[in-house]
Amino acid sequence: MTRPRSRRGGGRPTIADVARKAGVGAITVSRALREPGRVSEDLRRQIQAAVDELGYVPDPNARALASARAEVFGVLVPSLTNNVFAEVVRGIYDSLSDSPFRIQLGNTHYSGLEEERLLQVFALQRPAALIVAGIDQTPLSRKLLETAGCPVVQVMETGPDPVDMLVGFSHFDGGRTATEHLIEMGYRRIAFIGARMDPRSQRRLAGYRAAMEAIGLFDPRLVTTTPLLSSVSLGRELLRDALAKMPSLDGVFCNNDDIALGVLFECRRAAIAVPKTIGIVGFNDLDMMQAAFPSVTSVRTHRYEIGRRAVAMALAAIAGQRPQQRVVDLGFQLIRRESTAR
C-alpha cells in the first residue's frame, strides 16, 4: 500500500504531517476536513489543533483532482462597482463563508463577448457551480452553460426557459408597477428616463410602455434614454433633455436610483416642485432614496436574498437534491415616499 507523502525538510506541511501530529490516519484527516459531520466532535477538535499548529492548508487542486470538480463557485456579474450587483455578490459570499467552497468572481462589463471568454475560462477549471447574472446570454455563452456539467443558477431575472435554475424578479412587472403608481397618484404626462439600457432596463421600459398604452397616454417623446453609464449627474442632464422635448411632463419613472436622484437634484436646481409639479420614481431602492429630501419612491428589489437563494439552490443540486422549483420569483416591493405623495 502506498503511504501518504510527508513533508521533507522545512517545506509545506502535508496531510500526513497532520495525521502524525493528531495520531490518526491520513484518511481520517481527509474525512474530517472535507466532511466534518462524519467524525466525532472530539476527533475533529484534535485534528483541527494539529492543523492549526502545523499551519496546514489543504491543496484545492489536489482535492479537485480527487473529486473531478474544483471546490469553486464561478460567479459572473456585469459590474463590480454597481451597488445592485454588489448586494447580490455579498449574499453569495455570506452564504458560502462557512463552506469549503471558494468564489471566483468575473466581471463581464456588460459585454456578451467578455461573458463568453470568462465562461470558457471557468469551464477549464471545472467549477462546482456557476452563478450568472441575467438570461440574455449569447448562443455560445448559453451553450457553455448548458455543457458546464455543474449546477447553473441565473440571477436577477425570471423567465420560462432557464439554462438550469433561475432566481430573481420580473423587470417588466416592476416597470409597469412603478408607472401605474404614478398614474394612480394623478400624474399623466409621465416620462421614462434611462441610462445604460441593458436588457433588464429594456424590460422596465416595456413595462412602462404597457402601463401608458393601457390608458392611451403613451407618447414616444416621453422616452429619453442613453447608452452612457448611469450616474447622478447624467440624470440631471437627461431631465433637461426630457423637458426640452415635452415641457409639460409631470412625472418621471427612472430606470435606476442614480438617475432618479439626478432628476430630483435638477428639479431642485430649476425650482420645480416635487411632488407637486413632477413626481419621481426610481428603481432598486438603494439607501439614498430614503435619505434624499424629499425622499424618493422606488421599486425595492431583493438583491441580497437573490444571492443567498442562488447559493442555496446550487448547494442543494450539488448534494443531489435539485430543487423541484427551477424558477424562483422573489418579486419586488414598491416603496412609496414623498416624491410621489401629491
Side-chain angles (χ1 to χ4, degrees):
M1 182 175 72
T2 302
R3 299 183 62 183
R5 286 186 305 170
S6 62
R7 176 176 46 162
R8 293 181 179 177
R12 177 176 174 174
T14 69
I15 199 167
D17 297 320
V18 175
R20 190 178 302 107
K21 174 67 71 173
V24 298
I27 293 177
T28 302
V29 173
S30 178
R31 182 181 299 118
L33 295 177
R34 291 179 57 82
E35 301 175 86
R38 294 186 61 187
V39 300
S40 69
E41 184 174 349
D42 289 344
L43 184 55
R44 188 164 62 247
R45 288 176 177 172
Q46 179 181 335
I47 292 171
Q48 188 61 49
V51 167
D52 293 342
E53 182 177 344
L54 293 172
Y56 172 71
V57 178
D59 184 347
N61 293 321
R63 295 174 72 175
L65 286 173
S67 64
R69 281 283 161 191
E71 290 183 332
V72 170
F73 269 52
V75 178
L76 284 180
V77 292
S79 172
L80 297 178
T81 57
N82 185 321
N83 287 332
V84 172
F85 293 103
E87 280 290 287
V88 177
V89 171
R90 185 170 70 87
I92 293 170
Y93 270 92
D94 286 356
S95 297
L96 290 173
S97 61
D98 293 327
S99 79
F101 295 101
R102 297 167 292 130
I103 295 171
Q104 182 157 339
L105 198 56
N107 183 357
T108 69
H109 300 284
Y110 294 91
S111 166
L113 292 177
E114 180 64 6
E115 185 174 56
E116 291 175 359
R117 188 188 72 80
L118 289 170
L119 284 173
Q120 288 170 332
V121 172
F122 282 6
L124 293 174
Q125 297 170 346
R126 298 180 60 79
L130 288 169
I131 297 176
V132 183
I135 57 175
D136 296 282
Q137 282 77 30
T138 66
L140 176 57
S141 286
R142 185 172 178 99
K143 188 67 175 178
L144 288 166
L145 290 171
E146 290 172 342
T147 58
C150 67
V152 174
V153 186
Q154 294 162 284
V155 298
M156 294 298 287
E157 300 266 10
T158 58
D161 187 29
V163 170
D164 184 6
M165 295 173 284
L166 178 61
V167 55
F169 60 94
S170 169
H171 293 263
F172 177 90
D173 289 348
R176 181 170 58 187
T177 296
T179 308
E180 288 174 344
H181 169 66
L182 285 164
I183 294 169
E184 175 191 345
M185 300 307 293
Y187 301 99
R188 289 296 178 268
R189 293 175 298 280
I190 302 166
F192 177 92
I193 294 180
R196 173 67 85 175
M197 294 299 293
D198 62 22
R200 286 169 288 277
S201 289
Q202 293 288 352
R203 284 188 266 280
R204 295 170 202 169
L205 172 56
Y208 154 85
R209 178 168 182 158
M212 293 294 283
E213 287 179 341
I215 59 171
L217 291 180
F218 177 73
D219 185 331
R221 293 175 298 170
L222 288 167
V223 177
T224 302
T225 64
T226 176
L228 295 176
L229 287 171
S230 182
S231 69
V232 174
S233 59
L234 182 59
R236 296 184 61 178
E237 296 176 20
L238 292 176
L239 179 62
R240 290 195 291 268
D241 293 344
L243 286 169
K245 293 190 295 180
M246 184 70 74
S248 61
L249 71 83
D250 65 356
V252 181
F253 168 45
C254 304
N255 78 316
N256 63 50
D257 289 340
D258 288 343
I259 297 298
L261 195 61
V263 167
L264 175 63
F265 287 169
E266 182 59 23
C267 285
R268 296 291 296 274
R269 187 202 65 80
I272 299 172
V274 177
K276 182 178 180 180
T277 304
I278 289 182
I280 304 170
V281 177
F283 202 98
N284 283 312
D285 196 37
L286 302 181
D287 183 61
M288 58 189 175
M289 295 294 95
Q290 182 177 356
F293 181 79
S295 57
V296 180
T297 297
S298 189
V299 176
R300 178 175 295 171
T301 57
H302 307 296
R303 305 172 298 279
Y304 179 77
E305 179 59 27
I306 286 172
R308 291 187 66 89
R309 186 67 67 90
V311 170
M313 295 169 76
L315 289 174
I318 290 170
Q321 300 172 348
R322 186 174 294 275
Q324 292 185 350
Q325 187 178 357
R326 295 174 58 215
V327 179
V328 176
D329 186 350
L330 293 181
F332 52 83
Q333 183 181 4
L334 180 73
I335 306 299
R336 300 173 181 235
R337 295 197 179 96
E338 295 167 335
S339 68
T340 56
R342 207 176 204 182

